[in-house]
Amino acid sequence: MFELQRQHPAAALANAFDIIRANFITIVILIFVGSGGREANFTLYWIIGTFLFLLVWGAISWYRFQFSVEDGELRIEQGVMVRKKLYLTSDRIQVIDISAGVVQRLFGLVAVEVKTAGSSSKEAKISAITREKAEKLKALLRKKTEKSDDSQEAEPVLQRKVYALDTRDLLIAASTSGRFGVALSVVGVAFSQVEQLISEEQMIHFVETIIPRSTNASMIAMSIFAVIAIAWLFSFASTIFKYYDFVVEVRENELLISRGLFERTQLTIPFNRIQAVQIKEELLRQPLGYASLVIESAGYGESEGNSTTLFPLLAKPQIYNFINEVIPDYQTEISENSNVPSVGLRRYLFRMLWISLPVILIVWSSIPYGVYSWFLLIPALLLGYQQYRDAEIARGKDILILTFRLLSKTTAMVKKYRMQSCQVQQNPFQKRLNLSNLTIHVASGNQGRAFTVRDVEITEAMDYRMWLSNGQDGSVISDDEDGEALNEDVDNPDVTR
């Protein structure tokens, strides 16, 4: 039994920093976009005032937050303006995660997140308690069946399966991270507002004295290089911080994933909640022969996007061995596969052409030397051709495998009984070529995930649809009589929702 009690006072600081971290990009944009002079001082005062307000709010939230455990039921009372009471019984609790952020580690504390199939983990989070209390809380809430001494001795054999990311692979993962695009956008916004920090006279003086032989073209090139270099450094550092000391432990019924340098995070993913597995080959990693593994799980996952990184970097020859050892249910032999027919190539090329043209026209008309933006057509068409080559659908005994590419190449493996719905779509342009799109939906986090392969032959798409439906009564088939569109939807009633 856990008597009614409050968290450690450090929870007030932890809650304030959680809000700041969730809005970090917005705060950075406000700092750099703010005007100079008095308005800049006003922006600074506004940020400081907001931070102080968050600290006061966090202190009140800490005082109003109480928790206890009675008869295997976790009870949480919280709320500043409105008092809320949350009750979670042990038979509803699926996962209990223990983690330690920057604030918690400063005070020698941990955070506990209790996750159920039907509630958000945010509603059942205790932000700051001692590790001893956390372990006691976990022991009181976790469902365990009585085991004999023999079975308790045999269980650690499974728990010895531990896979760690070594330093070399961590550096490669950081150097080729897909976070580069996000970092590039943030740094680009900051550089676009550099005149708020450096006056025009200072910039002219720098050009005339430090790089007197530079031209407008060389200055633009140097600026682009500086933005890319700084964005890469941000991406490199953020990946190191996130995946430092990355460890996957295979237990009897679940996976335990631990990672993080400053913020140590522990994720627990039950095997029976895994809905799909993705092999992601980032644009910079594919030429080097590396990929990452991502899993989609129903009701669980990392905060961003509800997907969970199972392992951040693996050599492609090792991937299927790793899957066989860690999640053997997704190891399969391909019995049939289908590629996009040659007639679909022009659709991939035209699609990239129409996407790139607006960007080229905007750049051409808005910046000096923008005429060179027409060279972007070359990589855009090459990307379209590579998307065509990578698009594929395959199946094994009870797994459907979809391969597609936007920028990065993704191979999604979906168990037949985990599929939530299957959709075959055909627009008027595809109908002329007997092509269609095949989309598979699975549960992921509190939302869902869709995987689509474009422009496959309609007969093959329908064949896969029928194979997935397997003659179930939940099949719904509709056909537009005018022939302008075809939508085939199949819902799987057996899937865990």
Side-chain angles (χ1 to χ4, degrees):
M1 180 172 175
F2 234 76
E3 296 182 354
L4 192 66
Q5 58 187 279
R6 290 188 174 90
Q7 307 173 83
H8 190 278
L13 189 61
N15 292 335
F17 273 98
D18 283 344
I19 297 175
I20 293 173
R21 184 180 61 179
N23 299 278
F24 179 74
I25 294 179
T26 303
I27 294 172
V28 170
I29 292 175
L30 285 175
I31 292 174
F32 283 100
V33 172
S35 302
R38 294 180 179 179
E39 293 185 11
N41 292 332
F42 176 77
T43 302
L44 180 61
Y45 294 149
W46 182 84
I47 292 174
I48 294 174
T50 302
F51 179 71
L52 293 176
F53 171 77
L54 290 176
L55 287 180
V56 174
W57 185 272
I60 298 175
S61 300
W62 163 79
Y63 183 78
R64 297 276 288 172
F65 188 103
Q66 292 179 299
F67 67 97
S68 64
V69 177
E70 295 183 17
D71 300 326
E73 182 180 66
L74 175 63
R75 302 178 180 180
I76 295 178
E77 299 180 9
Q78 60 183 328
V80 177
M81 306 299 292
V82 178
R83 194 70 169 168
K84 295 189 296 184
K85 296 183 179 181
L86 178 66
Y87 301 94
L88 297 178
T89 57
S90 60
D91 59 341
R92 293 277 303 164
I93 293 171
Q94 298 281 345
V95 173
I96 302 174
D97 286 338
I98 298 176
S99 59
V102 177
V103 175
Q104 287 88 349
R105 295 178 76 173
L106 285 174
F107 293 91
L109 305 171
V110 296
V112 178
E113 291 186 64
V114 180
K115 302 178 182 181
T116 69
S119 71
S120 169
S121 62
K122 297 284 185 182
E123 296 178 331
K125 180 177 181 180
I126 302 173
S127 300
I129 59 175
T130 62
R131 180 167 288 276
E132 291 75 18
K133 286 185 178 180
E135 294 294 345
K136 181 181 178 182
L137 183 68
K138 186 174 182 178
L140 288 172
L141 295 176
R142 191 171 182 112
K143 289 180 63 179
K144 289 186 177 180
T145 57
E146 294 295 328
K147 298 180 180 180
S148 64
D149 294 338
D150 293 338
S151 63
Q152 289 180 348
E153 292 177 0
E155 185 179 353
V157 174
L158 291 174
Q159 295 182 348
R160 292 195 190 106
K161 285 189 177 181
V162 177
Y163 304 86
L165 184 70
D166 59 34
T167 303
R168 172 181 170 274
D169 288 344
L170 176 61
L171 293 175
I172 295 174
S175 302
T176 58
S177 172
R179 292 167 168 260
F180 174 75
V182 177
L184 186 62
S185 62
V186 175
V187 175
V189 171
F191 265 76
S192 68
Q193 300 298 322
V194 70
E195 69 272 9
Q196 306 296 338
L197 304 176
I198 303 175
S199 67
E200 185 176 351
E201 291 78 9
Q202 290 174 318
M203 294 175 65
I204 294 174
H205 177 73
F206 174 77
V207 172
E208 291 178 346
T209 58
I210 306 300
I211 44 178
R213 297 182 180 178
S214 64
T215 63
N216 288 338
S218 62
M219 280 297 297
I220 293 174
M222 290 177 62
S223 299
I224 294 174
F225 176 78
V227 170
I228 293 175
I230 295 175
W232 181 85
L233 288 174
F234 272 117
S235 173
F236 183 90
S238 64
T239 304
I240 293 289
F241 295 157
K242 181 176 182 178
Y243 294 121
Y244 179 82
D245 194 20
F246 188 98
V247 177
V248 177
E249 181 180 346
V250 183
R251 296 188 172 182
E252 184 177 10
N253 299 312
E254 62 192 17
L255 295 172
L256 185 66
I257 302 173
S258 305
R259 57 169 176 78
L261 179 58
F262 296 115
E263 181 177 1
R264 192 68 184 164
T265 303
Q266 184 183 82
L267 297 171
T268 305
I269 308 293
F271 284 117
N272 62 358
R273 307 299 291 184
I274 297 177
Q275 306 294 304
V277 177
Q278 296 186 66
I279 302 172
K280 288 186 170 289
E281 300 177 47
E282 302 287 351
L283 206 58
L284 296 178
R285 291 177 182 172
Q286 189 174 4
L288 301 176
Y290 289 101
S292 60
L293 273 179
V294 175
I295 55 178
E296 306 293 338
S297 53
Y300 310 96
E302 298 176 4
S303 57
E304 59 266 15
N306 293 312
S307 299
T308 301
T309 301
L310 178 58
F311 213 80
L313 191 79
L314 286 167
K316 283 193 281 189
Q318 301 174 349
I319 289 176
Y320 290 100
N321 289 334
F322 183 88
I323 291 175
N324 188 39
E325 294 176 4
V326 177
I327 41 176
D329 284 348
Y330 284 84
Q331 182 72 15
T332 186
E333 293 185 3
I334 296 175
S335 59
E336 180 183 345
N337 67 300
S338 303
N339 299 99
V340 175
S342 57
V343 71
L345 172 60
R346 61 184 180 183
R347 287 188 51 81
Y348 279 87
L349 296 179
F350 274 115
R351 191 178 296 119
M352 293 308 302
L353 178 65
W354 290 117
I355 291 174
S356 58
L357 274 179
V359 177
I360 292 172
L361 293 175
I362 292 173
V363 173
W364 183 28
S365 60
S366 60
I367 67 172
Y369 303 98
V371 67
Y372 293 108
S373 61
W374 286 99
F375 285 107
L376 292 175
L377 280 178
I378 298 175
L381 293 176
L382 288 175
L383 178 60
Y385 178 70
Q386 193 61 47
Q387 289 174 341
Y388 159 76
R389 290 193 58 188
D390 291 333
E392 182 183 34
I393 305 175
R395 65 184 176 195
K397 181 179 179 182
D398 61 347
I399 293 181
L400 190 68
I401 303 172
L402 297 92
T403 304
F404 53 92
R405 174 189 292 274
L406 295 178
L407 286 176
S408 304
K409 180 181 178 180
T410 300
T411 301
M413 296 180 285
V414 182
K415 280 281 188 180
K416 188 175 180 179
Y417 62 89
R418 294 295 188 188
M419 176 204 69
Q420 289 224 331
S421 67
C422 172
Q423 187 176 56
V424 177
Q425 295 177 316
Q426 186 183 57
N427 61 42
F429 301 102
Q430 289 175 316
K431 187 172 183 179
R432 290 174 48 248
L433 303 174
N434 291 322
L435 301 177
S436 63
N437 300 336
L438 179 67
T439 302
I440 302 297
H441 297 267
V442 297
S444 178
N446 296 320
Q447 302 173 359
R449 186 75 61 196
F451 307 112
T452 300
V453 178
R454 297 176 180 270
D455 300 315
V456 296
E457 286 190 1
I458 182 64
T459 54
E460 293 180 346
M462 292 297 296
D463 179 58
Y464 286 115
R465 188 204 69 81
M466 294 301 297
W467 177 74
L468 287 169
S469 67
N470 199 22
Q472 297 180 46
D473 294 336
S475 302
V476 178
I477 301 177
S478 62
D479 191 357
D480 192 324
E481 294 180 358
D482 296 333
E484 294 184 355
L486 172 69
N487 289 280
E488 304 272 352
D489 294 290
V490 177
D491 294 328
N492 188 346
D494 297 329
V495 73
T496 302
R497 297 184 182 271

